Amino acid sequence: MEAAAAAAAEAHHHHHNLHGCLAVRAPVPRCSLGGAGGGGAAAMGGSSDEASCGSPRWIGKSLSCVCIKRKGAYERICMNLTPVQEERLQRLRHRMKVYFDPSRRDHQEALKALWHATYPDQELQGLISEQWKDMGWQGRDPSTDFRGAGFISLENLLFFAKTFSASFQRLLKKQCGNRATWEYPFAVAGVNITFMIMQMLDLQSTKPRTFVRAVFIQMLSEDEWAFDLLYCVAFVVMDKQWLDKNASYMDFNEILKSTRTQLERELLLDDVMRIEDMPSYSLLC
């Protein structure tokens, strides 16, 4: 697991640097207005003005498509997944179900890899050590903090550390802005961000219930590490909001909510076709 996460991070970093950007996502596949989705706008209950996009009445009613209003025209994102989308979604769902197991060798190695990526010049004294508190874990044993989001939260931190090391170190060391006396604990915040994204994308549900999920699945078909990239964006967005609002430890949940709101808004922008197109992606370095 650790090797896969590290390899993915390095592969993405290599591709990003050598080619400037990832391939732009192909246009969103559309179902025909008269297709299996229940007919055109009129067939769905009146004129196109009446069939308001995003209306909850159309969500989760076995329609093959839902509409999203983009640039003044109604476009439809197909909910029938392509084989690539299905494969990558299942793979991501599997990652989300894996609990952190301190007895597993690969999980131990991933934790060690996170330490070495974070503090390359410091030797780790042990998987249970006071050193972990420096990274923002609650105690000497970081394995107890993964219960909320599982092993994928460790993979996310490791991906962030290896892919955007400058941003990772800046947030870890709280190097920018006027900081509160009671700061958020870096590593524990990372676990909470993973859990927030999992809830936002709603990927475990059998039926799509949000447009954000539909947009993300399309992104996933072009880059199987889209979840990890979104995590990195979410972390820098959260830190920026923390500074902008002069937040302190007790404000963390509210900052997390406002971070989710901003991510959802950016994912649904007309010109955002991949994670790299999100305005807040520019915060990463």
Side-chain angles (χ1 to χ4, degrees):
M1 281 292 190
E2 178 272 320
E10 292 187 11
H12 182 275
H13 185 69
H14 178 74
H15 187 89
H16 180 78
N17 284 333
L18 290 184
H19 302 285
C21 62
L22 297 175
V24 177
R25 185 180 66 172
V28 175
R30 304 175 192 173
C31 300
S32 61
L33 291 177
M44 291 172 64
S47 67
S48 61
D49 289 333
E50 291 174 326
S52 59
C53 289
S55 173
R57 59 184 172 152
W58 301 120
I59 299 176
K61 293 200 174 181
S62 301
L63 300 178
S64 61
C65 314
V66 295
C67 62
I68 291 180
K69 190 173 184 180
R70 288 176 180 262
K71 299 180 181 176
Y74 289 97
E75 297 188 2
R76 291 168 176 249
I77 292 182
C78 291
M79 291 306 183
N80 296 324
L81 302 183
T82 66
V84 171
Q85 288 173 337
E86 183 66 34
E87 176 188 357
R88 291 186 173 175
L89 179 58
Q90 291 303 325
R91 192 179 304 163
L92 180 55
R93 281 173 171 168
H94 175 74
R95 290 177 64 198
M96 292 165 59
K97 290 180 179 178
V98 177
Y99 293 101
F100 182 85
D101 183 351
S103 67
R104 284 182 55 168
R105 181 64 181 272
D106 56 338
H107 289 198
Q108 294 174 7
E109 293 302 318
L111 199 53
K112 292 177 184 177
L114 176 62
W115 176 268
H116 293 307
T118 306
Y119 303 110
D121 299 324
Q122 294 184 37
E123 183 178 351
L124 178 64
Q125 296 173 2
L127 293 177
I128 298 178
S129 168
E130 291 291 333
Q131 290 174 292
W132 290 108
K133 294 181 181 179
D134 296 336
M135 197 187 295
W137 300 103
Q138 295 184 83
R140 300 175 66 248
D141 183 2
S143 68
T144 60
D145 289 330
F146 290 118
R147 292 170 184 164
F151 184 63
I152 191 173
S153 59
L154 173 54
E155 292 181 309
N156 289 159
L157 279 167
L158 185 56
F159 183 92
F160 189 15
K162 287 181 172 291
T163 310
F164 302 101
S165 59
S167 292
F168 182 90
Q169 291 293 333
R170 174 172 55 83
L171 269 58
L172 169 71
K173 298 173 182 176
K174 309 292 196 301
Q175 290 176 331
C176 296
N178 295 319
R179 293 290 173 175
T181 303
W182 294 96
E183 274 289 316
Y184 65 85
F186 176 80
V188 173
V191 174
N192 279 273
I193 289 170
T194 296
F195 186 71
M196 178 270 288
I197 297 174
M198 289 165 62
Q199 288 185 311
M200 178 182 75
L201 297 179
D202 192 33
L203 297 178
Q204 297 289 16
S205 64
T206 55
K207 290 185 178 181
R209 295 182 290 191
T210 68
F211 296 130
V212 168
R213 167 187 158 131
V215 169
F216 175 79
I217 289 176
Q218 179 63 23
M219 293 176 172
L220 190 63
S221 68
E222 296 301 325
D223 186 350
E224 64 178 317
W225 299 101
F227 186 94
D228 302 79
L229 282 173
L230 181 59
Y231 170 88
C232 299
V233 173
F235 217 136
V236 291
V237 167
M238 186 278 293
D239 188 75
K240 185 176 186 302
Q241 295 213 6
W242 181 273
L243 292 173
D244 289 347
K245 298 180 180 181
N246 296 313
S248 188
Y249 184 78
M250 297 303 292
D251 302 315
F252 182 77
N253 286 338
E254 287 304 314
I255 296 297
L256 208 57
K257 289 178 183 177
S258 62
T259 298
R260 172 173 172 167
T261 298
Q262 182 170 338
L263 294 176
E264 290 173 330
R265 183 167 58 247
E266 291 191 17
L267 285 168
L268 293 177
L269 291 174
D270 289 344
D271 55 351
V272 172
M273 308 298 287
R274 54 194 187 134
I275 300 298
E276 291 92 331
D277 295 330
M278 296 175 68
S280 291
Y281 184 85
S282 63
L283 296 172
L284 290 164
C285 58

